[in-house]
Amino acid sequence: MPKALKIYSQDLTANPLLSHCDEGMIQKFVSSATIKTYPKGSVIFLQEDEASYFYIIVDGWVKLFRETLDGAEAIIDVISLGSMFGEGAIFSNNIYPHAAQTIEDATIIRIPLLLLKDAIEEDKAFAMHMLYVMAANRNQQDKELEHRDLQSAPQKIGCFLLRLCKPHQEGPIILNLPYDKTLLASRLGMKPETFSRALAKLKKETGISISGATVTFNSVNQLSDYSCSACSSTYPCQDL
Amino acid sequence: MPKALKIYSQDLTANPLLSHCDEGMIQKFVSSATIKTYPKGSVIFLQEDEASYFYIIVDGWVKLFRETLDGAEAIIDVISLGSMFGEGAIFSNNIYPHAAQTIEDATIIRIPLLLLKDAIEEDKAFAMHMLYVMAANRNQQDKELEHRDLQSAPQKIGCFLLRLCKPHQEGPIILNLPYDKTLLASRLGMKPETFSRALAKLKKETGISISGATVTFNSVNQLSDYSCSACSSTYPCQDL
DNA sequence: CGAGGTGTTGAAAGTGCTCAAATGGCGTGG
DNA sequence: CCACGCCATTTGAGCACTTTCAACACCTCG
């Protein structure tokens, strides 16, 4: 059942950057924003497209990716509620540096980039928050790069599952994979077949159980012992 | 022959960020800066170290990397003249998010992070430049991630060589590899043995010639045809 | 029921890795 | 100047992991 298509300010403040705006600024954003539900598979924009808007996800999932001439694609990130995308175009001559596509039905708010640009230029505190957000993002990417190099396929899956847990979560854990396995595979830089086999191996080696999209295990240690040895961060690594 | 250890303002303005400072601010940086020559292999700081300074390279090469418990390391970047590093700690609770080590004898300027922080907070234009620099950096990393996934070992080398050329360079080209092959290998995410074999293959497939650290070829097309098909950017991709 | 999407499995091929050994350059100490 | 040792690089052989191609199972939807 689709959410009523009205924009609430909390839809914006769900985003780590905009959560630092004062109410007046949020209102300015809201009044120029539009909201829309896209069916699964919709292309929001392509790499190199002229950019006039940035986006915030209210519901559903979106993948950010780059595509080569011969059709291969590299997934940069897969994001959901409260995540912002397209804002990077501000710093790239108003050209989107990657493509964005929904991978589930998704409800997304669209806001003119100009407003964001103004906010950054006018409001010093806001600019500082933007810096923090970008720095966090950069660290995230560095870590991602490390993972792709250093972890085996089953370790990558284990690491991904760990990041799905709340930090310091205790006791038995039941997770649902947030989107389909084919996509998850390429999010982790592998083929679907490899993913399937790697998941089976992870199951065998760590004793977690998997049924469909549901993953169950008794303690995070079961996974962290297995996955985190091939990583430079120490376990509860989400709070970076 | 070591450069005289005196700090010149042009050593700072060689950096893309600091090049946007006015003379007064540069002087402030200079007056709190120290300069030092480090022998090859010096560790400047380790991941997780408490951070009080950021650095600018005057001469030589530095690698930025992350290391896992079991000794494997992922190289984030290898940088030289005019590049800045360690500045990311400003946004990470004054903890360096990666390690830095010289890979050749290197002359490096050290500046208190506090000064940088002040500059960002006081000077709006400077903060904006910081944002641009970080955005460029992020795009760079995205591209890097794509390369690791999508390119074969020989293509990675070809791509690296292309980025060593000046954009739109015409005619025959002679390059020198900027640092040793072992490091270059891990910069590109492969083992030295693989690098050696991949280089041989690149030579055979594209007709370029290699002797020691010297690479010669007639035209960039020789390489771009081979390497750039597996990349989402179109050829002269340095000007991103 | 049949179609199409999603996920799994099997066999064969490919690519990069490990381990081990050979090569070659280069600086040091004789 | 030479012998030696060190280090970077190359080469070879075998191995491990991932991919590719193909087939099949399963589920949902029309």
Side-chain angles (χ1 to χ4, degrees), chain A residues 3-211:
Chain A
K3 172 167 188 150
L5 290 186
K6 177 164 171 5
I7 302 171
Y8 298 90
S9 52
Q10 65 262 34
D11 291 336
L12 298 191
T13 53
N15 174 261
L17 176 62
L18 300 188
S19 66
H20 288 100
C21 295
D22 58 52
E23 186 55 31
M25 193 178 283
I26 289 290
Q27 281 314 319
K28 214 191 302 181
F29 280 127
V30 168
S31 65
S32 301
T34 61
I35 188 169
K36 190 173 154 191
T37 292
Y38 298 80
K40 172 175 178 168
S42 308
V43 173
I44 313 292
F45 53 75
L46 290 173
Q47 186 173 350
E48 315 279 306
D49 273 4
E50 187 80 27
S52 304
Y53 302 95
F54 73 103
Y55 299 83
I56 291 175
I57 304 176
V58 175
D59 186 55
W61 289 83
V62 172
K63 73 170 174 186
L64 310 180
F65 64 104
R66 311 173 126 250
E67 200 168 9
T68 67
L69 294 172
D70 46 12
E73 68 178 36
I75 293 201
I76 295 171
D77 209 350
V78 174
I79 55 180
S80 63
L81 196 154
S83 290
M84 168 173 71
F85 62 97
E87 84 288 354
I90 289 186
F91 308 105
S92 309
N93 297 109
N94 286 333
I95 300 289
Y96 290 118
H98 52 243
Q101 182 179 22
T102 62
I103 55 173
E104 307 286 350
D105 292 357
T107 303
I108 302 174
I109 291 175
R110 189 187 80 173
I111 303 175
L113 271 176
L114 267 180
L115 282 187
L116 183 62
K117 200 160 189 167
D118 285 351
I120 292 170
E121 282 168 356
E122 299 311 320
D123 183 337
K124 192 188 291 182
F126 188 74
M128 280 307 288
H129 286 301
M130 183 81 185
L131 279 167
Y132 275 91
V133 167
M134 289 186 61
N137 204 293
R138 186 170 65 168
N139 285 339
Q140 199 51 52
Q141 289 298 86
D142 285 349
K143 210 182 266 190
E144 192 65 34
L145 229 150
E146 178 191 316
H147 287 161
R148 301 254 175 143
D149 262 20
L150 265 28
Q151 292 182 320
S152 70
Q155 282 174 328
K156 282 180 196 162
I157 299 177
C159 176
F160 182 84
L161 293 176
L162 283 170
R163 279 174 287 154
L164 243 36
C165 302
K166 296 178 207 43
H168 310 288
Q169 186 166 359
E170 297 286 342
I173 295 171
I174 302 178
L175 295 174
N176 277 301
L177 302 181
Y179 37 84
D180 74 53
K181 294 183 180 179
T182 306
L183 183 69
L184 189 40
S186 85
R187 162 72 180 76
L188 297 175
M190 62 186 90
K191 300 292 161 194
E193 298 93 328
T194 303
F195 180 87
S196 178
R197 286 184 256 259
L199 190 55
K201 185 165 183 185
L202 182 69
K203 194 167 153 181
K204 191 175 55 156
E205 313 239 316
T206 65
I208 68 175
S209 29
I210 297 147
S211 145

Side-chain angles (χ1 to χ4, degrees), chain A residues 139 142-147 150-151 159 227-235 237 240, chain B residues 47-48 65-76 96-99:
Chain A
N139 285 339
D142 285 349
K143 210 182 266 190
E144 192 65 34
L145 229 150
E146 178 191 316
H147 287 161
L150 265 28
Q151 292 182 320
C159 176
S227 286
C228 299
S229 66
C231 186
S232 68
S233 316
T234 43
Y235 164 60
C237 53
L240 127 129
Chain B
Q47 187 174 349
E48 317 280 304
F65 64 105
R66 309 172 127 252
E67 199 168 8
T68 68
L69 294 172
D70 47 10
E73 69 179 33
I75 293 201
I76 294 170
Y96 291 117
H98 52 244

Side-chain angles (χ1 to χ4, degrees), chain B residues 184-205:
Chain B
L184 189 40
S186 82
R187 163 71 182 76
L188 297 175
M190 63 186 91
K191 298 293 159 191
E193 298 93 327
T194 303
F195 180 88
S196 177
R197 285 185 255 260
L199 190 56
K201 186 166 182 185
L202 182 68
K203 195 168 156 183
K204 191 173 58 154
E205 311 241 315

Side-chain angles (χ1 to χ4, degrees), chain B residues 129-141:
Chain B
H129 286 302
M130 184 80 185
L131 279 167
Y132 274 92
V133 167
M134 289 187 60
N137 205 292
R138 186 168 66 167
N139 285 338
Q140 200 53 50
Q141 288 299 83

Side-chain angles (χ1 to χ4, degrees), chain B residues 35-85:
Chain B
I35 187 169
K36 188 173 156 192
T37 294
Y38 297 81
K40 170 174 180 170
S42 309
V43 172
I44 312 292
F45 53 76
L46 290 174
Q47 187 174 349
E48 317 280 304
D49 273 3
E50 187 80 25
S52 305
Y53 302 95
F54 73 102
Y55 300 83
I56 292 175
I57 305 176
V58 175
D59 187 54
W61 289 85
V62 172
K63 73 170 172 184
L64 310 180
F65 64 105
R66 309 172 127 252
E67 199 168 8
T68 68
L69 294 172
D70 47 10
E73 69 179 33
I75 293 201
I76 294 170
D77 210 349
V78 175
I79 55 180
S80 64
L81 195 153
S83 289
M84 168 173 71
F85 62 97

